Amino acid sequence: MGTEAADRWMEVALEEARQAAREGEVPVGAVLVHDGELLARDHNRSIQESDPTAHAEILVLRRAGELLSNYRLTGTDLYVTLEPCAMCAGALVWARVERLFYAAPDLKAGAVSSRARLLRPGLFNHSPEVVPGVREAEARQLLQDFFSRLRTNRRGGKSASSRRAGSAVAGRRSENVRAG
C-alpha cells in the first residue's frame, strides 16, 4: 500500500472525525477498505447511541461484516485517526484485519503502541501489520482543538454533551419511574 493511497484513505477517516466533532463526539473516524474499494466509513457515536462500544473502528467492522455476511474481514485495511483502544484492537484480531493504519497515538488508552502492545506479532493467533503516523499532525490537531473547546465550554458551565447526557439520563429516570 503506497503512501498516496494511505493519505487518501486517511483523509476520508479525517472527514469522519470532523463530522464526529460537529456532532459533539470525540473526533475519531475510521474507514475499512478491501482491494482499494471502500467497504465502510464511520465515526465515534458512543454519546449519541449511549453505547460505550460505538467506537469508529467497531462501527466500520460491524457494517463491513454485514455487507460481506462474514465476521472475518481478511484482506482488509483499516484507517483510523486515533490509535485503537484495547476493545478495538481485540476486534481487529478477531476480524482478521490485514493492516491497520492510524494517525495519532493515544497516550492515555492506546493499545497498539502507547499503553499496551496488543497487536504485536505472536501475542494472539492473528496480528495485523501496523502503520502508525499517517497524517498524524492533522489528527492530533483535530483532537486538541476539540478538547480545548470542551474545556472552555466547561469553564462556563457544563459541556453540551454533558447537558445532553444529563437530560437523557433524567428523561430515562422519569420514564422508569412512570413505567414502574
Side-chain angles (χ1 to χ4, degrees):
M1 176 71 52
T3 58
E4 184 177 307
D7 283 346
R8 180 171 50 98
W9 289 118
M10 190 61 76
E11 176 56 33
V12 178
L14 285 162
E15 289 170 10
E16 287 292 331
R18 290 181 199 106
Q19 182 61 35
R22 286 190 291 273
E23 295 173 8
E25 296 278 357
V26 174
V28 177
V31 173
L32 193 69
V33 175
H34 184 263
D35 289 335
E37 298 290 324
L38 177 68
L39 285 177
R41 63 185 284 174
D42 214 329
H43 54 272
N44 277 6
R45 297 178 185 271
S46 294
I47 296 167
Q48 296 171 50
E49 295 186 10
S50 301
D51 179 357
T53 70
H55 289 194
E57 301 96 308
I58 299 296
L59 296 173
V60 297
L61 294 175
R62 285 178 185 160
R63 183 150 311 131
E66 290 169 1
L67 270 171
L68 300 174
S69 298
N70 194 340
Y71 73 104
R72 298 277 194 228
L73 303 173
T74 57
T76 59
D77 296 330
L78 179 71
Y79 297 84
V80 63
T81 59
L82 184 65
E83 176 185 357
C85 68
M87 172 184 70
C88 294
L92 298 180
V93 171
W94 293 116
R96 304 293 195 273
V97 169
E98 189 165 323
R99 281 181 295 277
L100 165 66
F101 297 81
Y102 71 86
D106 184 347
L107 302 179
K108 292 184 179 183
V112 176
S113 61
S114 296
R115 301 297 295 168
R117 288 180 166 66
L118 296 183
L119 299 183
R120 70 181 181 269
L123 186 61
F124 296 111
N125 58 328
H126 173 75
S127 299
E129 177 187 340
V130 176
V131 181
V134 178
R135 301 192 59 175
E136 178 180 343
E138 292 167 75
R140 182 190 315 269
Q141 191 63 55
L142 185 60
L143 286 157
Q144 287 173 343
D145 291 349
F146 175 81
F147 285 110
S148 176
R149 280 191 305 276
L150 197 61
R151 284 189 298 276
T152 299
N153 290 341
R154 283 191 177 152
R155 284 188 204 112
K158 287 186 176 180
S159 71
S161 61
S162 295
R163 284 192 299 275
R164 275 197 309 273
S167 64
V169 169
R172 272 190 235 111
R173 282 193 202 122
S174 61
E175 288 171 14
N176 290 339
V177 170
R178 279 179 267 179

